[in-house]
Amino acid sequence: MSELEDGKQKFIEMVKAADPSVTVVIPTSSSNSLFLISLTRGKARKFITVSEDDILDILSDDLIHDEVEDRIRETLSELKP
């Protein structure tokens, strides 16, 4: 697996750890170095934008990991059940 794919997998694991009922859809490639990631619970859907650099660094940089994790939790809290 590439470093980018490893980062995407880690992102999915972080979402599933926060809420296993959420479906995550990550585009295969970024647009302007940004990924527009869909988080869905039931009929509710929210989008989170994550930079390609953050996806790459999510495994090796604890600060980036924590920042992305905080953004995931914030976005999930906005999802209606």
Side-chain angles (χ1 to χ4, degrees):
M1 229 189 291
S2 74
E3 196 174 348
L4 185 59
E5 291 303 316
D6 289 343
K8 288 180 180 181
Q9 185 58 44
K10 182 60 178 177
F11 183 91
I12 292 169
E13 291 171 8
M14 292 167 65
V15 172
K16 293 296 184 181
D19 188 340
S21 69
V22 172
T23 302
V24 183
V25 178
I26 302 176
T28 55
S29 62
S30 63
S31 175
N32 295 326
S33 297
L34 296 172
F35 286 98
L36 183 61
I37 301 170
S38 168
L39 304 177
T40 307
R41 181 190 304 132
K43 293 183 179 182
R45 176 177 294 146
K46 285 284 186 180
F47 292 93
I48 183 171
T49 304
V50 181
S51 74
E52 189 171 343
D53 288 340
D54 285 354
I55 292 290
L56 290 169
D57 294 339
I58 205 168
L59 297 169
S60 59
D61 188 326
D62 290 339
L63 182 60
I64 297 293
H65 179 278
D66 293 346
E67 287 175 3
V68 171
E69 190 171 50
D70 288 345
R71 291 180 53 213
I72 289 170
R73 289 174 198 237
E74 181 180 319
T75 303
L76 293 177
S77 72
E78 296 170 4
L79 270 177
K80 306 236 186 255

